[in-house]
């Protein structure tokens, strides 16, 4: 992959005559000012008796990004930063409090509320984090993988469905004979392959992957990731990949968004982000990764604790943990600006202090 100077978006080397087409092609996925607020207040009567105010959790607060067709955007950050909420917003499991999501030029959340939304849902599928919880233990694999085919009326005959299920299982490295077995008869990595096969049943164009390898052994993670990369090349799939593992992100992504307390603080091409991180939080995360060529050097642990999301700090929410914070950082929230070829929300970077 190569990164175009002055742009946060990496792009593959184009074939002859394809440069103009790639440059003019609109992004498949566009999220703009996406926000989700949850009311986590105690019951109304308790609030009245105890004179307690309502409590609102701003799980996602003004997230925006674009993903080109056939590319992978990875969202990374510590637990509780809003990554999974973004994933659920994009597949329509949550309704946004503010902002929106455009898919292939269409307002996706408006479409989800109409009968035509079923067609859109076929094009957008999700792979969940835990393969032990996302598969019905009472169903055979054949029924699990065939469920989307039945739900969307894609294949009517039972024999044709079995044939299609066998093809889907083979595409993720399983045997068609496995369709008669139950989920408990498979390992964690095999269960996640079943989840991927189910997601592929409707011929989707966009897959939202919510930490699909975090529940797996390290030895199995690479196998699942390689399958996903192969499927992307074969089918031209577009991925949003949610993870907290930067080593995994480096392997699968084209561009990376770093999230902190519901906001993206840095968005850049993979090579730019890992080679020249701009935001202090991104630098902190990368410093904590063990490096083979620096054996014996003490790692820098991620400093401080994530603030209470119900009562976040004023200004830049990272300021209590940031070594470069000043008074402006404590009172003014930074905007996500284009600086030195990346999008970064940091007053210190904007002012050239780091």
């Amino acid at each position: 992959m190569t990164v175009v100077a002055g742009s946060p978006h990496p792009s593959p080397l184009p074939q002859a005559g394809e440069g103009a087409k790639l440059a003019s092609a609109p992004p498949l996925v566009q999220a703009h000012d996406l926000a989700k607020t949850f009311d986590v207040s105690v019951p109304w009567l308790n609030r009245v008796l105890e004179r307690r105010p309502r409590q609102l959790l701003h799980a996602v607060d003004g997230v925006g990004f674009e993903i080109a067709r056939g590319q992978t955007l990875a969202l990374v950050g510590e637990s509780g930063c809003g990554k999974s909420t973004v994933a659920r917003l994009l597949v329509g499991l949550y309704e946004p409090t503010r902002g929106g999501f455009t898919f292939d030029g269409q307002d996706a959340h408006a479409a989800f509320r109409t009968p035509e939304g079923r067609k859109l849902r076929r094009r957008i599928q999700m792979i969940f984090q835990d393969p032990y919880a996302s598969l019905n233990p009472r169903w055979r694999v054949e029924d699990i993988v065939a469920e989307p085919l039945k739900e969307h009326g894609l294949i009517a005959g039972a024999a044709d469905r079995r044939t299609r299920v066998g093809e889907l299982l083979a595409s993720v490295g399983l045997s068609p004979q496995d369709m008669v077995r139950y989920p408990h008869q498979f390992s964690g990595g095999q269960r996640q392959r079943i989840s991927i096969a189910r997601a592929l049943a409707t011929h989707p164009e966009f897959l939202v992957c919510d930490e699909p390898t975090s529940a797996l052994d390290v030895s199995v993670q690479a196998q699942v990731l390689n399958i996903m990369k192969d499927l992307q090349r074969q089918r031209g799939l577009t991925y949003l990949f949610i993870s907290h593992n930067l080593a995994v992100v480096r392997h699968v992504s084209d561009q990376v968004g770093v999230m902190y307390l519901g906001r993206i603080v840095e968005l850049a091409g993979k090579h730019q982000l890992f080679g020249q991180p701009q935001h202090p939080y991104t630098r902190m995360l990368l410093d904590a990764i063990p490096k083979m060529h620096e054996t014996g050097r003490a790692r820098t642990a991620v400093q401080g604790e994530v603030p209470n999301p119900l009562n976040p700090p004023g200004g830049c929410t990272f300021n209590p943990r940031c070594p470069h914070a000043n008074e402006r950082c404590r009172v003014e929230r930074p905007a996500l600006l284009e600086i030195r070829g990346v999008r970064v929300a940091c007053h210190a970077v904007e002012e050239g202090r780091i």
Side-chain angles (χ1 to χ4, degrees):
M1 307 298 293
T2 60
V3 178
V4 180
S7 168
H9 304 292
S11 56
L13 290 171
Q15 302 297 320
E18 290 187 357
K21 183 190 296 184
L22 289 171
S24 61
L28 179 67
V29 175
Q30 293 176 290
H32 46 90
D33 194 30
L34 203 58
K36 180 62 179 178
T37 301
F38 295 99
D39 189 339
V40 294
S41 308
V42 296
W44 174 81
L45 185 58
N46 295 70
R47 294 206 311 271
V48 172
L49 296 176
E50 300 169 18
R51 300 179 182 237
R52 295 171 60 179
R54 291 178 63 195
Q55 282 193 309
L56 300 178
L57 173 64
H58 300 283
V60 175
D61 188 11
V63 166
F65 54 79
E66 298 177 350
I67 314 177
R69 192 180 295 272
Q71 299 280 294
T72 300
L73 168 66
L75 289 183
V76 301
E78 294 169 279
S79 296
C81 70
K83 306 184 300 294
S84 294
T85 304
V86 171
R88 284 160 172 74
L89 284 168
L90 295 190
V91 297
L93 293 178
Y94 291 155
E95 186 78 15
T97 306
R98 186 181 76 246
F101 159 46
T102 302
F103 180 80
D104 200 13
Q106 181 180 13
D107 184 338
H109 286 108
F112 285 149
R113 295 190 291 267
T114 69
E116 293 297 309
R118 291 176 62 85
K119 295 181 181 178
L120 184 60
R121 291 184 186 279
R122 290 205 298 265
R123 302 172 66 189
I124 304 172
Q125 291 292 313
M126 186 168 180
I127 301 171
F128 293 91
Q129 176 177 357
D130 186 0
Y132 295 89
S134 62
L135 302 180
N136 190 330
R138 298 176 181 271
W139 287 12
R140 296 182 188 272
V141 168
E142 177 184 355
D143 300 317
I144 291 171
V145 179
E147 183 185 15
L149 301 174
K150 297 177 182 177
E151 178 67 23
H152 292 281
L154 298 178
I155 298 179
D160 291 339
R161 274 200 304 271
R162 285 179 61 87
T163 300
R164 178 61 180 150
V165 169
E167 293 171 352
L168 289 166
L169 291 175
S171 72
V172 296
L174 295 175
S175 169
Q177 280 72 40
D178 289 329
M179 70 176 70
V180 300
R181 300 165 66 188
Y182 289 92
H184 74 268
Q185 296 175 285
F186 295 89
S187 67
Q190 290 172 322
R191 293 188 200 192
Q192 197 61 293
R193 294 186 193 204
I194 295 169
S195 297
I196 295 171
R198 177 178 60 184
L200 295 174
T202 61
H203 297 286
E205 299 165 50
F206 179 41
L207 284 182
V208 178
C209 312
D210 186 10
E211 302 202 40
T213 61
S214 65
L216 307 179
D217 292 340
V218 174
S219 59
V220 179
Q221 288 185 14
Q223 300 173 18
V224 174
L225 292 173
N226 287 334
I227 286 174
M228 294 180 67
K229 292 287 284 185
D230 290 342
L231 290 169
Q232 185 175 37
R233 284 191 293 267
Q234 295 164 9
R235 300 168 181 249
L237 294 170
T238 303
Y239 288 148
L240 175 72
F241 195 94
I242 308 291
S243 182
H244 61 266
N245 188 327
L246 287 167
V248 168
V249 165
R250 191 167 195 165
H251 177 67
V252 303
S253 66
D254 296 300
Q255 53 178 327
V256 182
V258 180
M259 288 192 67
Y260 188 77
L261 281 185
R263 302 191 74 216
I264 290 180
V265 297
E266 185 167 357
L267 181 61
K270 172 178 67 175
H271 301 296
Q272 288 171 296
L273 186 126
F274 282 93
Q276 295 180 309
Q278 301 294 316
H279 198 280
Y281 179 60
T282 308
R283 297 183 180 193
M284 190 181 293
L285 292 178
L286 293 177
D287 283 344
I289 301 176
K291 298 176 177 61
M292 293 292 292
H293 61 279
E294 295 181 3
T295 303
R297 172 182 172 270
R299 284 187 290 156
T300 303
V302 176
Q303 302 296 315
E305 297 290 335
V306 179
N308 183 354
L310 291 173
N311 186 27
C316 174
T317 53
F318 187 62
N319 83 78
R321 306 170 68 185
C322 181
H324 307 283
N326 62 10
E327 186 59 27
R328 183 188 180 194
C329 300
R330 286 184 275 274
V331 298
E332 181 185 338
R333 189 165 87 164
L336 191 65
L337 304 175
E338 186 89 12
I339 302 173
R340 295 196 289 272
V342 304
R343 295 173 65 187
V344 60
C346 178
H347 295 312
V349 175
E350 180 187 353
E351 297 168 2
R353 292 189 275 116
I354 57 174

